[in-house]
Amino acid sequence: MEHKLLNLTLPFVIEEIDNILETYPKFLHQETFSANRLRQELVAYVLNRVPNKYVVVDKTEDFEQTKLSIPYSSQRFLDIEYYIHLGIRDILGAFNQTNCDIQPNNNQNFRNYRKVS
């Protein structure tokens, strides 16, 4: 009989990320984190900061049954929510910093503007 190792925290974190992103503005957060790389970065961010729960199951065992038996305290749940919000902020900040063009628009060069009387 073959067995497999399951991370029970992973699907829980993914579900919570989806729930929390729905509460953020669609344009900025939901669309930004719809990119697979950034979503994976957020999942990794959270999983690296919370204790993960694992189980060993038969390869034939249904994962849905196992997923329902995750015992999380309310404090652990709040920790996961906290790290999701923090991860959104940190990853979005890093993403904006590396992807924004901070060059001024030539039409908005106000330093050379002089009021003529």
Side-chain angles (χ1 to χ4, degrees), residues 51-109:
N52 286 259
K53 294 195 179 286
Y54 298 91
V55 294
V56 176
V57 295
D58 292 335
K59 277 198 170 188
T60 59
E61 190 172 335
D62 185 19
F63 177 69
E64 292 301 317
Q65 291 175 343
T66 309
K67 188 170 93 168
L68 297 175
S69 64
I70 305 172
Y72 281 114
S73 67
S74 56
Q75 182 60 48
R76 182 68 58 222
F77 179 77
L78 291 173
D79 290 345
I80 290 171
E81 282 187 339
Y82 170 78
Y83 286 119
I84 292 170
H85 289 289
L86 193 62
I88 290 169
R89 187 198 70 186
D90 289 351
I91 292 168
L92 192 60
F95 175 77
N96 287 336
Q97 189 174 29
T98 59
N99 291 309
C100 285
D101 182 15
I102 57 173
Q103 296 297 319
N105 184 341
N106 288 337
N107 295 331
Q108 295 176 346
N109 190 355

Side-chain angles (χ1 to χ4, degrees):
M1 190 175 272
E2 291 188 44
H3 295 89
K4 60 184 174 181
L5 182 67
L6 293 178
N7 181 338
L8 298 178
T9 308
L10 176 61
F12 180 77
V13 166
I14 290 171
E15 184 178 334
E16 285 306 306
I17 286 173
D18 291 340
N19 293 338
I20 288 173
L21 281 175
E22 286 181 16
T23 67
Y24 279 81
K26 181 175 182 172
F27 174 72
L28 183 59
H29 296 84
Q30 291 179 26
E31 289 184 11
T32 301
F33 284 98
S34 69
N36 190 41
R37 175 161 167 69
L38 290 181
R39 182 172 288 276
Q40 295 299 320
E41 291 283 342
L42 181 56
V43 170
Y45 183 97
V46 176
L47 289 176
N48 282 322
R49 287 163 175 79
V50 298
N52 286 259
K53 294 195 179 286
Y54 298 91
V55 294
V56 176
V57 295
D58 292 335
K59 277 198 170 188
T60 59
E61 190 172 335
D62 185 19
F63 177 69
E64 292 301 317
Q65 291 175 343
T66 309
K67 188 170 93 168
L68 297 175
S69 64
I70 305 172
Y72 281 114
S73 67
S74 56
Q75 182 60 48
R76 182 68 58 222
F77 179 77
L78 291 173
D79 290 345
I80 290 171
E81 282 187 339
Y82 170 78
Y83 286 119
I84 292 170
H85 289 289
L86 193 62
I88 290 169
R89 187 198 70 186
D90 289 351
I91 292 168
L92 192 60
F95 175 77
N96 287 336
Q97 189 174 29
T98 59
N99 291 309
C100 285
D101 182 15
I102 57 173
Q103 296 297 319
N105 184 341
N106 288 337
N107 295 331
Q108 295 176 346
N109 190 355
F110 297 111
R111 287 180 291 162
N112 295 330
Y113 176 76
R114 293 186 189 173
K115 186 176 181 178
V116 178
S117 319

